[in-house]
Amino acid sequence: MRRENRSSVSEFLLLGLPIQPEQQGMFFALFLGMYLTTVLGNLLIILLIRLDPRLHTPMYFFLSHLALTDVSLSSVTVPKMLMNMQTQQQSIPYAGCISQMYFFILFGCLDNFLITVMAYDRYVAICQPLRYSTIMRQELCVSLVAGSWFLCCIHALLHTLLLVQLSFCMDNTISHFFCDLTALLKLSCSDTSLNELLIFTVGGSLFILPLSSILGSYIHIGTTVLSVSSTKKLFKICSTCGSHLFVVSLYYGTLASVYFFSSSWDSNDKDIIASAMYAVVTPMLNPFIYSLRNRDIKQALEIFVSRANFLK
């Protein structure tokens, strides 16, 4: 049988962000600063959690994996975008584009799962404090992270395997700053109904089920908070959960606006900006959100800085 599932294009062209040519330099400096902040901030959190024995708890174990995922998510898209802005070379090889799409789906999905796991950890800590050490054992924490990796790898692989069966016959221009799955589907001259079905079923399930779990966890936490009479204890609970709730709102808000509440399949400036928020801004903000209101992280940072000064 004659195979018709091979792409006839060897590369794609990324149009990049919807900015004017005279603004390229300013936005290059802006996104470079944001990317360096993302990498350094998240790696610092991982280092502090690794070095400080007081941070060897389930909450910070999950936070370290979230920080690593955020660095990876930004690194999938931002370096290529910066290189294109600097060199004006917009091409990306076919294999490179498919790989970028795979890892973007993988780390985006992993972010989703880790945020859900962290909400469950807060639920157990606040609603079942006496059983916390029994429930959140090291074995369970490792299993939750490993299971998240496994499911997200399978999810990204399914989308990738279906995509490589499509043909790209004529237009190879992607109206985006990275190889987004929906943008690639619009360029295909094959039937993409199965791909779209997978996005709205499996992708939708991996969006709704974790979000439902997070909402369920915080409904129980809210019920517990209302029954707390101690002001000091209430402040501690709100401080612990406030950072995570802000990350959840930012993450799911931008994700929903890109993939579920978009006005059409056609890329527009709003979708690209929302994608930049999701892929660039959110990973950069996480270190600030979790450290500025976290006493343990700030104390670990102070100890780290004092040790660094002592060694000079």
Side-chain angles (χ1 to χ4, degrees):
M1 294 180 61
R2 185 168 61 107
R3 297 189 63 183
E4 297 183 358
N5 58 359
R6 291 186 178 180
S7 172
S8 58
V9 300
S10 59
E11 64 179 18
F12 292 97
L13 297 178
L14 296 170
L15 292 186
L17 295 169
I19 56 179
Q20 299 298 322
E22 59 272 15
Q23 298 176 325
Q24 290 281 347
M26 179 183 68
F27 277 95
F28 174 84
L30 174 64
F31 280 102
L32 177 61
M34 293 170 67
Y35 177 66
L36 292 177
T37 302
T38 298
V39 173
L40 295 176
N42 283 289
L43 290 182
L44 179 60
I45 284 183
I46 296 172
L47 179 63
L48 293 176
I49 293 173
R50 184 73 176 175
L51 294 179
D52 196 329
R54 296 174 303 169
L55 302 182
H56 294 174
T57 63
M59 182 178 74
Y60 294 110
F61 173 74
F62 297 135
L63 179 56
S64 65
H65 282 273
L66 180 66
L68 178 62
T69 303
D70 284 336
V71 172
S72 303
L73 182 64
S74 284
S75 298
V76 168
T77 59
V78 179
K80 177 61 178 174
M81 179 186 70
L82 292 174
M83 185 177 71
N84 289 355
M85 292 173 68
Q86 186 69 12
T87 63
Q88 301 300 315
Q89 295 291 330
Q90 299 175 315
S91 64
I92 181 172
Y94 175 83
C97 188
I98 300 300
S99 299
Q100 187 185 58
M101 185 209 70
Y102 170 84
F103 285 108
F104 184 81
I105 295 174
L106 168 62
F107 292 119
C109 173
L110 196 56
D111 238 4
N112 187 15
F113 274 69
L114 289 175
I115 290 174
T116 306
V117 169
M118 292 175 71
Y120 175 71
D121 173 74
R122 292 300 85 206
Y123 157 74
V124 176
I126 294 171
C127 299
Q128 303 185 48
L130 298 179
R131 298 179 57 201
Y132 181 78
S133 58
T134 303
I135 296 175
M136 300 304 295
R137 304 181 311 277
Q138 182 179 6
E139 296 82 3
L140 177 62
C141 296
V142 173
S143 298
L144 288 172
V145 172
S148 299
W149 271 96
F150 176 76
L151 290 175
C152 291
C153 285
I154 295 299
H155 174 59
L157 187 61
L158 284 174
H159 285 293
T160 305
L161 290 177
L162 282 180
L163 184 71
V164 297
Q165 301 301 313
L166 303 179
S167 295
F168 299 91
C169 305
M170 296 177 62
D171 188 12
N172 68 337
T173 302
I174 301 175
S175 300
H176 221 300
F177 65 92
F178 71 98
C179 292
D180 179 60
L181 174 59
T182 55
L184 285 169
L185 292 180
K186 288 181 298 182
L187 298 182
S188 175
C189 52
S190 302
D191 181 15
T192 61
S193 57
L194 185 58
N195 303 75
E196 295 171 16
L197 180 63
L198 185 66
I199 291 175
F200 286 107
T201 54
V202 179
S205 298
L206 294 180
F207 176 88
I208 294 172
L209 293 178
L211 180 59
S212 301
S213 300
I214 293 173
L215 293 177
S217 297
Y218 276 101
I219 288 173
H220 283 89
I221 290 173
T223 304
T224 303
V225 167
L226 293 176
S227 64
V228 172
S229 57
S230 170
T231 306
K232 184 177 180 181
K233 198 170 183 180
L234 179 63
F235 177 78
K236 184 177 180 180
I237 293 174
C238 293
S239 178
T240 302
C241 298
S243 301
H244 186 255
L245 274 175
F246 186 82
V247 171
V248 169
S249 302
L250 188 62
Y251 175 84
Y252 280 101
T254 54
L255 189 66
S257 65
V258 174
Y259 294 105
F260 294 96
F261 301 144
S262 179
S263 57
S264 68
W265 277 93
D266 294 329
S267 291
N268 52 49
D269 293 353
K270 182 185 70 174
D271 294 333
I272 296 175
I273 292 171
S275 296
M277 285 285 295
Y278 168 67
V280 184
V281 179
T282 301
M284 180 194 69
L285 292 178
N286 280 354
F288 296 100
I289 294 169
Y290 282 111
S291 61
L292 292 179
R293 298 185 61 186
N294 191 305
R295 184 178 60 185
D296 294 334
I297 292 288
K298 287 191 284 189
Q299 288 178 349
L301 180 59
E302 291 171 0
I303 294 173
F304 176 76
V305 171
S306 62
R307 286 179 180 176
N309 291 331
F310 177 77
L311 294 175
K312 287 183 179 179

